[in-house]
Amino acid sequence: LGFGCASSSNEMAYCPKVGVISDLDRITEIEVAANQSKSNILLFSKIQGLRTKCTASAGGITISIVFDLFSKLSRYNKPTDIDLRYLIAAVDPNDQILAKQVYKTTVSFMDGIQTTKNTQEVEVFMPSPGDVDFRNHKVLVGFELTVSQLQSNRGIRKKTD
């Protein structure tokens, strides 16, 4: 999602593309049984509905990012809170990470409720010492995953491709 935005001086400052990293768009939390012989999916959560707005100022651009976390809980017979971590990274045209920030959010399930949607809002500021064209930069969103969660996501992609 790329678009231009005008600064107050009417000079055009171009905004970066914003998107969700395909391998980091979902997370599955596995609950391992006490005897370690069997595991169950505890939670599945997916990033959806990405919306962005870009605003230019004399010092740089601010990208407002809003997205929904759609989450489903396997056992929903009691109220449960689950902490999730997601990241936002600014990437230059050579795919080098310029900045990365990890955020923590709590997904709450009420008694008897199996699914929930919670909206996340984040602002990213990219400083600019002048007229910098950010069109070839990216701002990326995704869950912070363990190696096994990442491998699971990649396995899901191979099955659906």
Side-chain angles (χ1 to χ4, degrees):
L1 303 171
F3 52 94
C5 52
S7 67
S8 58
S9 64
N10 277 343
E11 293 177 9
M12 197 58 117
Y14 292 96
C15 295
K17 294 175 183 166
V18 180
V20 178
I21 305 166
S22 61
D23 285 340
L24 306 182
D25 68 337
R26 65 190 72 211
I27 187 168
T28 304
E29 292 281 341
I30 305 291
E31 180 181 55
V32 179
N35 63 10
Q36 300 288 322
S37 64
K38 191 171 147 181
S39 62
N40 297 305
I41 293 175
L42 173 65
L43 168 94
F44 171 82
S45 190
K46 183 168 176 50
I47 297 171
Q48 298 179 323
L50 182 70
R51 298 156 323 264
T52 62
K53 179 182 171 190
C54 185
T55 308
S57 65
I61 59 170
T62 300
I63 303 107
S64 299
I65 303 168
V66 179
F67 60 92
D68 299 318
L69 295 178
F70 173 77
S71 302
K72 182 176 180 178
L73 189 64
S74 292
R75 293 191 205 138
Y76 49 93
N77 54 348
K78 63 179 182 175
T80 303
D81 291 336
I82 306 228
D83 291 332
L84 297 175
R85 293 165 59 92
Y86 63 89
L87 62 90
I88 304 219
V91 180
D92 74 10
N94 298 317
D95 289 332
Q96 298 297 310
I97 296 173
L98 301 173
K100 174 183 146 187
Q101 180 73 41
V102 176
Y103 299 86
K104 182 178 128 182
T105 188
T106 301
V107 177
S108 297
F109 294 90
M110 303 317 242
D111 191 15
I113 304 296
Q114 183 180 15
T115 60
T116 187
K117 179 176 91 169
N118 99 5
T119 301
Q120 302 296 303
E121 298 181 34
V122 178
E123 283 195 347
V124 175
F125 180 74
M126 296 178 76
S128 171
D131 242 0
V132 175
D133 183 349
F134 287 106
R135 285 182 294 184
N136 293 321
H137 288 69
K138 299 175 207 161
V139 175
L140 302 174
V141 180
F143 283 110
E144 187 172 63
L145 303 177
T146 64
V147 172
S148 62
Q149 289 168 330
L150 179 60
Q151 289 170 342
S152 174
N153 283 359
R154 288 181 174 160
I156 290 169
R157 294 244 180 271
K158 286 180 184 176
K159 290 176 188 173
T160 60
D161 289 345

